[in-house]
Amino acid sequence: MGNYILEELSAKTIVAANSLTLKPGQEQFVAPTSYALAESYFNPSTEWPRVVLENDTVVGFIRGHFDPESDQPEFKSCIWRIVVAADAQGKGVGRFAVEALAGEAKSRGFATLTVLWESGSKGPGDFFHKLGFVDIGTSRFGEIIGELKL
Ligand SMILES: CC(C)(COP(=O)(O)OP(=O)(O)OC[C@H]1O[C@@H](n2cnc3c(N)ncnc32)[C@H](O)[C@@H]1OP(=O)(O)O)[C@@H](O)C(=O)NCCC(=O)NCCS
């Protein structure tokens, strides 16, 4: 695993975070429908956006979402988005980012961290399972709901 640093998303890193290049076929998994639809209702105070830096280069982005009042349990403490640059994948960046978010969720008093993903051979399902997420159901759009106990 490399030497990774987590930093709050800022004016300095936002362009790099938004233009991380993925591997062919991965783009379709980045924003499952449930997230895309819910997005516009958010209050910025519920968001926890962070970049992962390696030698001052943005190699990953994770956005946590914390809304204890949400009427959708899978949106109370969840990973809203996670992207790792194609050439940095498979080196522990994703694990580093998820573990940092899990720590943040725990410190806010949540007992679980959830994530939704679309199934598919190039999708992130095996990654989340490797990190300990367990399938607990499906969303109304058929996405898998994974839960990690903290
Ligand atoms: C999913 C994603 C974030 C994983 O990031 P990553 O930095 O490559 O993952 P890591 O290197 O930290 O992998 C952690 C573990 O998961 C495993 N893993 C990662 N991707 C995997 C895959 N597709 N299949 C099987 N195992 C996988 C790794 O082998 C590693 O196991 P280890 O700790 O035993 O060595 C990255 O592939 C990505 O950005 N995908 C496109 C965007 C996406 O699908 N986001 C999710 C939206 S819900």
Side-chain angles (χ1 to χ4, degrees):
M1 183 161 150
N3 193 11
Y4 305 129
I5 293 174
L6 195 75
E7 202 178 85
E8 184 163 8
L9 183 70
S10 66
K12 188 172 63 122
T13 54
I14 196 161
V15 172
N18 278 334
S19 44
L20 290 170
T21 306
L22 295 176
K23 292 186 178 172
Q26 288 184 328
E27 199 63 51
Q28 69 189 95
F29 294 97
V30 172
T33 309
S34 293
Y35 291 139
L37 281 180
E39 190 114 56
S40 51
Y41 300 107
F42 286 159
N43 173 340
S45 70
T46 62
E47 308 312 304
W48 193 82
R50 295 291 184 275
V51 290
V52 179
L53 300 172
E54 184 180 27
N55 301 325
D56 280 340
T57 298
V58 176
V59 291
F61 172 70
I62 190 164
R63 178 174 152 199
H65 172 76
F66 298 111
D67 181 7
E69 310 302 322
S70 176
D71 52 11
Q72 287 177 268
E74 66 273 25
F75 287 171
K76 287 178 189 283
S77 161
C78 70
I79 301 175
W80 200 262
R81 185 180 175 99
I82 177 166
V83 181
V84 174
D87 56 6
Q89 289 184 15
K91 300 180 195 171
V93 176
R95 179 188 285 277
F96 174 78
V98 171
E99 287 177 353
L101 176 54
E104 175 68 20
K106 198 170 178 181
S107 74
R108 290 179 184 229
F110 291 100
T112 59
L113 182 69
T114 46
V115 64
L116 303 184
W117 71 83
E118 287 163 2
S119 53
S121 63
K122 294 187 176 176
D126 290 343
F127 164 74
F128 288 122
H129 291 149
K130 197 77 188 258
L131 267 54
F133 285 82
V134 173
D135 300 0
I136 56 163
T138 48
S139 73
R140 65 189 170 116
F141 296 105
E143 299 127 347
I144 294 160
I145 305 173
E147 179 185 85
L148 178 70
K149 293 218 186 296
L150 303 175

